[in-house]
Amino acid sequence: MGSTKLILVLFCLLLIISSSSAARKKKIQARKPCKRVVFYFHDIIYNGKNTKNATSAIVSAPAWGNMTVNVFTPSHFGDVVVFDDPITLDNNLHSTPIGCAQGFYLYDKKETFTAWLGFSFVFNSTAHKSSLNFAGADPLMNKTRDISVIGGTGDFFMARGIATLRTDAFEGEVYFRLCVDIKLSKCW
């Protein structure tokens, strides 16, 4: 009877070990997005002369900095920018906006041009009556970069996913346009 129990225990251990090693060999499959949308947001940075058209402004800068132009560091290190930028369905700044991107970014690295973003897309169109929230690091020198979709309301209630950012246009320190390719992995 004792050897039967020992064989049964060894068999169970062998089964557990083999199933756990098989589980490690499984590939993690990428999920297909439950919703995918693409928007453009247009950022016109206040430069001291464009008060009427500006949609963003530096609201905080280090003691050595300047609130309208970049003087000492090419990376804008320490600058905090708030924005209320139009969102469009295409890359034309003059297209009818479907909402606005509202939030902030801060330049967080001395050596290179990079930022940290926290913002919402607030929609006011017939297609979408809701908001979508984002946060994450933005290494601006990369062709594309991913930030997290961390929530939403209305059509995007409790959304989760990834937004791939691509700088679509850049005009010095006054204007840039981002293409935002949103792939939601959780939709309600």
Side-chain angles (χ1 to χ4, degrees), residues 42 75 137 157 175 177:
H42 309 265
S75 66
F157 179 71
Y175 173 78
R177 177 178 59 236

Side-chain angles (χ1 to χ4, degrees), residues 111-187:
E111 305 81 36
T112 187
F113 212 42
T114 184
W116 192 90
L117 304 166
F119 65 97
S120 297
F121 278 1
V122 181
F123 298 98
N124 61 2
S125 70
T126 55
H128 301 289
K129 296 247 187 247
S130 54
S131 67
L132 198 51
N133 307 310
F134 307 85
D138 184 10
L140 298 161
M141 302 313 288
N142 295 354
K143 184 175 180 177
T144 62
R145 47 266 181 219
D146 292 334
I147 61 170
S148 301
V149 176
I150 57 173
T153 64
D155 296 341
F156 299 107
F157 179 71
M158 293 181 61
R160 299 285 185 276
I162 295 294
T164 301
L165 306 178
R166 180 177 49 83
T167 303
D168 190 54
F170 184 81
E171 294 177 18
E173 294 193 12
V174 178
Y175 173 78
F176 67 85
R177 177 178 59 236
L178 292 181
C179 175
V180 183
D181 183 0
I182 302 164
K183 296 164 281 300
L184 300 179
S185 59
K186 285 196 176 180
C187 303

Side-chain angles (χ1 to χ4, degrees), residues 39-40 42 45 59 70 79 106 129 137 145-147 154 166 169:
F39 301 111
Y40 292 82
H42 309 265
I45 304 160
V59 295
N70 187 17
D79 288 353
L106 54 100
K129 296 247 187 247
R145 47 266 181 219
D146 292 334
I147 61 170
R166 180 177 49 83

